[in-house]
Amino acid sequence: MASAWWPCLILALLSGLAASGFPRSPFLLLGKRSLPEGVANGVEVYSTKINSKVTSRFAHNVVTTRAVNRADTAKEVSFDVELPKTAFITNFTLTIDGVTYPGNVKEKEVAKKQYEKAVSQGKTAGLVKASGRKLEKFTVSVNVAAGSKVTFELTYEELLKRHKGKYEMYLKVQPKQLIKHFEIDVDIFEPQGISMLDAEASFITNDLLGSALTKSFSGKKGHVSFKPSLDQQRSCPTCTDSLLNGDFTITYDVNRESPGNVQIVNGYFVHFFAPQGLPVVPKNVAFVIDISGSMAGRKLEQTKEALLRILEDMKEEDYLNFILFSGDVSTWKEHLVQATPENLQEARTFVKSMEDKGMTNINDGLLRGISMLNKAREEHRVPERSTSIVIMLTDGDANVGESRPEKIQENVRNAIGGKFPLYNLGFGNNLNYNFLENMALENHGFARRIYEDSDADLQLQGFYEEVANPLLTGVEMEYPENAILGLTQNTYQHFYDGSEIVVAGHLVGEDVNSFKADVKGHGAANDLTFTEEVTTEKITLWNRAVPSTFSWLDTVTVTQDGLSMMINRKKNMVVSFGDGVTFVVVLHQVWKKHPVHRDFLGFYVVDSHRMSAQTHGLLGQFFQPFDFKVFDIRPGSDPTKPDATLMVKNHQLTVTRGSQKDYRKDASIGMKVVCWFVHNNGEGLIDGVHTDYIVPNLF
């Protein structure tokens, strides 16, 4: 598995276990120990680098670890990396003394069989297994001869998801020994522009972090580097073990001038949709809570603490009820009630009084909650413009009543009928999580595992915060059928505040002039439609003989063959060539009914100094420095505009003082720039005459 942003990554390089007679459990090396600097059991890990390049929320990550066997005998070296569960591995290579051995990436079930076969034959193999809250572990071991060097390189990718208003890249760093060259390096490129960027580490003080960490962002680019020295890695000034043991987190978000943003790359489009400032849709929540005997003690207490916090966040427009299930089912109220201050106070008393008892009847508990929501809608007990949600929490499998998972799924699916989502929370590990996940997914929700830690109540509250503020319901992303192939999911029950909907597809046909994206949804007050479309005011990008057409009404980014073109709706178009020069074409709009003036384009070069000395053209001939001299300043025909003499290219010209507007930074007002105007269409200043630069058409 591998990922595009890295919500979590643990590095632990293990060495010499088999050779020293210890069992091969990787956890034996996780305890701190005093060792010669950078050497563990004869193996020195001298370099670890995590490199990530994030482009339009998609990250390409490379983890590279280098080690050398400094012992006199062969040693086994193991490479452990814990990856985000939503990640996918795209490549793995093992290099020993300059010889590279590529790995084969397989689907999970195939990989498991091949791994077991390889291990039984004594071959080197790696396998990804579930590990922790957000992780899956990749492990591979190899026998390294004395004096030999080994390099492990793992590549993984993942699409970043927006969570509570920002994208989060979360790494759990755990090398467990001093490493001479340790570095985390992240480059972020977001065509919409980066609005905020931050980074922090839980395992190091802010004073030490500040000297090892650099972070910056400007415009579309951001960069984070964490490069602690050996001394900064030490757990104490004289220690030889590492304090790099904890979380390293990067968060960022992008500018949002419009609800949607369409980006086109090599014939494919990605549509990002995240409207802001909409009123919250009232919600009707059925909390279906397991109070069976297995919930006794700390689990039930943490559930109560979380529910009490959730009640604090309920809005008066919301409706709620509690459905408790054990061997049987009981409810707080007969039907949903409004979250008034009086009802919330009564709800707090009820939550505090919950006690564990009996067996686990998941089926009847869910069906009671679903029925309650359906009746509330049918009997008009809840606002017409509201949305319903079922949240179910359990710590075990059904063991009374209907206990067959497939039958429970069928019953729940039929009862909900696609009308609202189901969110399942699985508390602990003693349950069938796949059952909870499948049941939630087929009812337009998702499942979360709540881990039995001291922060379980915060985990529960954190989940609720994700779904607490629906801004739209019944969201549909519509595209022209004849222009799109291979469309990803484009209908969603809800859009929640702080999240983002992402739809991708393959554009067909040479001209995208008919491309139109409509997003429809039900808001708190009315139905809303957001449209991205192309009009006859066209921008055409040619790739050899193939045109792609856009308009000034688009917010689009196109990246192809080293060229990047970004259209900022009704503002400008930015064209960049790799790390070279950038051009800005500004759309200057005037009053539509003006008798004379019309909209016009301003062409600007941002990095003209990067252009070749061979560049020419009406503007290009002036991109490189040239010799000129202005002298003999004297009164002109206009008292406010003096004349002068300009000596340039062996010509002596009369020029007049004036001003011009530079619209690169402000397309509407511009910045006043004082300059000298050359008369007679630039004769004597430009090479040739002005008509040499005029063509009847472009193509």
Side-chain angles (χ1 to χ4, degrees):
M1 303 286 295
S3 156
W5 70 304
W6 13 353
C8 196
L9 179 67
I10 300 181
L11 278 182
L13 194 126
L14 316 173
S15 58
L17 300 181
S20 59
F22 288 96
R24 290 182 55 185
S25 169
F27 300 101
L28 287 181
L29 275 185
L30 296 185
K32 293 186 177 179
R33 62 171 92 182
S34 258
L35 296 168
E37 284 198 351
V39 180
N41 294 328
V43 175
E44 178 188 4
V45 181
Y46 60 89
S47 174
T48 292
K49 183 170 183 178
I50 306 169
N51 181 274
S52 178
K53 295 190 181 300
V54 182
T55 303
S56 300
R57 289 77 148 172
F58 192 84
H60 176 88
N61 308 301
V62 180
V63 182
T64 305
T65 292
R66 305 179 192 275
V68 58
N69 181 4
R70 299 200 178 281
D72 296 329
T73 59
K75 294 286 185 180
E76 183 183 65
V77 180
S78 296
F79 174 69
D80 281 15
V81 179
E82 297 202 24
L83 305 170
K85 291 183 177 179
T86 53
F88 55 96
I89 290 175
T90 56
N91 192 44
F92 175 74
T93 60
L94 182 66
T95 302
I96 302 176
D97 287 341
V99 180
T100 299
Y101 303 90
N104 293 317
V105 181
K106 301 289 185 181
E107 294 291 340
K108 273 188 175 180
E109 293 306 315
V110 176
K112 188 171 186 291
K113 292 178 182 178
Q114 291 192 4
Y115 173 80
E116 291 170 350
K117 182 179 179 180
V119 170
S120 69
Q121 296 174 350
K123 296 179 179 179
T124 296
L127 185 67
V128 176
K129 296 182 179 180
S131 171
R133 297 185 183 182
K134 302 179 181 180
L135 307 175
E136 291 189 322
K137 180 181 287 185
F138 172 85
T139 302
V140 66
S141 299
V142 64
N143 207 46
V144 180
S148 292
K149 292 184 177 181
V150 59
T151 298
F152 301 93
E153 183 172 285
L154 179 72
T155 303
Y156 69 97
E157 298 177 346
E158 185 186 18
L159 177 68
L160 283 69
K161 292 184 178 180
R162 193 163 182 254
H163 176 70
K164 297 182 182 179
K166 55 191 175 185
Y167 306 99
E168 184 178 74
M169 305 171 67
Y170 168 68
L171 297 86
K172 197 167 185 72
V173 181
Q174 207 170 30
K176 290 303 179 184
Q177 58 184 285
L178 300 179
I179 297 178
K180 187 178 297 181
H181 303 290
F182 182 92
E183 182 176 7
I184 296 171
D185 191 77
V186 182
D187 286 302
I188 302 171
F189 177 81
E190 288 291 349
Q192 291 172 258
I194 298 173
S195 62
M196 63 81 64
L197 173 65
D198 199 9
E200 58 183 20
S202 65
F203 50 84
I204 193 170
T205 64
N206 288 336
D207 290 341
L208 287 175
L209 179 65
S211 58
L213 172 71
T214 59
K215 56 185 178 181
S216 62
F217 71 96
S218 177
K220 298 177 287 185
K221 296 181 179 180
H223 181 250
V224 174
S225 175
F226 177 62
K227 197 173 181 180
S229 65
L230 279 173
D231 286 342
Q232 289 171 325
Q233 295 177 44
R234 299 180 195 277
S235 57
C236 71
T238 58
C239 293
T240 57
D241 51 4
S242 174
L243 59 70
L244 300 186
N245 182 7
D247 303 337
F248 186 84
T249 307
I250 299 170
T251 55
Y252 80 94
D253 200 14
V254 301
N255 296 319
R256 301 180 190 278
E257 296 183 356
S258 61
N261 175 259
V262 178
Q263 299 182 19
I264 298 175
V265 180
N266 295 331
Y268 292 84
F269 83 92
V270 181
H271 187 185
F272 299 101
F273 179 72
Q276 300 181 97
L278 298 177
V280 175
V281 176
K283 58 188 179 295
N284 317 309
V285 188
F287 294 97
V288 182
I289 307 298
D290 182 351
I291 58 166
S292 61
S294 59
M295 285 286 290
R298 185 61 178 145
K299 280 193 285 189
L300 187 58
E301 288 305 311
Q302 289 178 315
T303 300
K304 292 181 182 181
E305 291 169 12
L307 290 175
L308 291 173
R309 289 196 183 98
I310 288 171
L311 289 172
E312 294 296 326
D313 293 334
M314 295 289 287
K315 299 176 177 61
E316 191 161 355
E317 298 79 14
D318 296 337
Y319 284 70
L320 76 154
N321 202 348
F322 293 102
I323 298 89
L324 310 182
F325 67 91
S326 52
D328 53 15
V329 179
S330 62
T331 62
W332 170 44
K333 298 288 186 181
E334 287 301 312
H335 51 75
L336 293 180
V337 297
Q338 189 174 356
T340 62
E342 296 77 17
N343 284 338
L344 289 177
Q345 184 56 44
E346 188 178 341
R348 293 185 191 98
T349 302
F350 176 79
V351 167
K352 292 175 183 178
S353 69
M354 292 191 315
E355 296 181 354
D356 61 277
K357 60 179 180 178
M359 308 287 278
T360 306
N361 192 339
I362 293 176
N363 183 77
D364 289 359
L366 277 173
L367 294 183
R368 180 75 66 87
I370 295 166
S371 173
M372 195 172 290
L373 289 173
N374 285 331
K375 284 185 178 179
R377 181 71 68 185
E378 293 166 3
E379 297 172 0
H380 305 289
R381 292 181 177 274
V382 295
E384 181 180 351
R385 285 195 172 274
S386 63
T387 186
S388 299
I389 298 173
V390 181
I391 298 176
M392 193 268 284
L393 169 71
T394 183
D395 75 331
D397 298 333
N399 54 21
V400 67
E402 179 56 71
S403 59
R404 294 170 295 172
E406 64 279 2
K407 185 61 178 177
I408 297 174
Q409 284 183 232
E410 179 186 345
N411 292 342
V412 169
R413 183 171 60 249
N414 291 337
I416 291 180
K419 296 186 290 293
F420 43 80
L422 165 66
Y423 298 103
N424 287 331
L425 305 177
F427 207 140
N429 294 309
N430 298 321
L431 46 75
N432 185 346
Y433 185 76
N434 287 337
F435 157 63
L436 297 181
E437 185 172 49
N438 291 335
M439 183 164 57
L441 290 174
E442 67 183 14
N443 289 287
H444 306 289
F446 55 80
R448 284 281 169 80
R449 190 186 295 276
I450 304 301
Y451 292 85
E452 294 185 57
D453 290 335
S454 59
D455 67 341
D457 54 329
L458 298 180
Q459 296 176 53
L460 288 166
Q461 184 185 5
F463 156 77
Y464 177 77
E465 289 173 354
E466 291 184 49
V467 300
N469 296 303
L471 301 184
L472 292 172
T473 63
V475 181
E476 298 181 3
M477 319 280 281
E478 298 178 352
Y479 308 91
E481 293 182 4
N482 60 350
I484 305 295
L485 287 178
L487 194 66
T488 60
Q489 180 183 347
N490 64 324
T491 60
Y492 292 84
Q493 283 273 1
H494 293 102
F495 170 76
Y496 294 106
D497 190 24
S499 67
E500 182 175 63
I501 292 175
V502 182
V503 179
H506 184 197
L507 294 170
V508 295
E510 295 182 350
D511 194 343
V512 297
N513 189 46
S514 61
F515 181 81
K516 179 182 178 181
D518 281 330
V519 183
K520 299 179 180 179
H522 308 297
N526 49 29
D527 292 347
L528 301 171
T529 299
F530 306 87
T531 301
E532 298 288 337
E533 64 178 325
V534 175
T535 72
T536 55
E537 294 177 292
K538 297 186 294 184
I539 299 169
T540 303
L541 178 66
W542 290 78
N543 181 9
R544 297 179 177 87
V546 180
S548 297
T549 307
F550 310 93
S551 91
W552 288 104
L553 295 180
D554 294 331
T555 300
V556 171
T557 299
V558 178
T559 303
Q560 188 169 322
D561 298 332
L563 168 71
S564 173
M565 182 196 75
M566 180 174 66
I567 302 172
N568 295 307
R569 180 182 172 91
K570 293 185 178 182
K571 289 186 176 182
N572 59 34
M573 178 177 71
V574 180
V575 181
S576 303
F577 296 90
D579 293 328
V581 70
T582 297
F583 301 94
V584 179
V585 180
V586 177
L587 173 63
H588 298 286
Q589 295 181 297
V590 299
W591 178 43
K592 292 293 184 185
K593 297 182 180 181
H594 197 286
V596 178
H597 294 157
R598 296 291 182 267
D599 293 354
F600 66 97
L601 303 178
F603 186 85
Y604 303 90
V605 182
V606 177
D607 306 307
S608 60
H609 63 283
R610 295 186 178 181
M611 298 290 284
S612 164
Q614 304 302 314
T615 303
H616 204 270
L618 188 60
L619 296 178
Q621 61 189 292
F622 302 109
F623 286 167
Q624 302 298 329
F626 60 92
D627 295 329
F628 68 93
K629 181 180 180 182
V630 178
F631 59 95
D632 189 22
I633 300 176
R634 55 194 182 274
S637 57
D638 184 338
T640 63
K641 299 179 179 179
D643 286 345
T645 299
L646 170 67
M647 180 63 70
V648 62
K649 297 182 179 179
N650 295 321
H651 295 119
Q652 189 167 298
L653 311 174
T654 297
V655 293
T656 301
R657 192 70 158 177
S659 64
Q660 184 59 280
K661 286 291 188 75
D662 182 345
Y663 292 94
R664 283 176 294 182
K665 295 184 178 180
D666 188 331
S668 59
I669 300 176
M671 182 176 67
K672 184 177 179 181
V673 178
V674 178
C675 52
W676 292 102
F677 283 82
V678 180
H679 302 283
N680 302 322
N681 294 315
E683 183 179 350
L685 174 66
I686 63 175
D687 294 341
V689 296
H690 70 283
T691 54
D692 295 338
Y693 303 93
I694 299 175
V695 294
N697 57 67
L698 292 178
F699 306 106

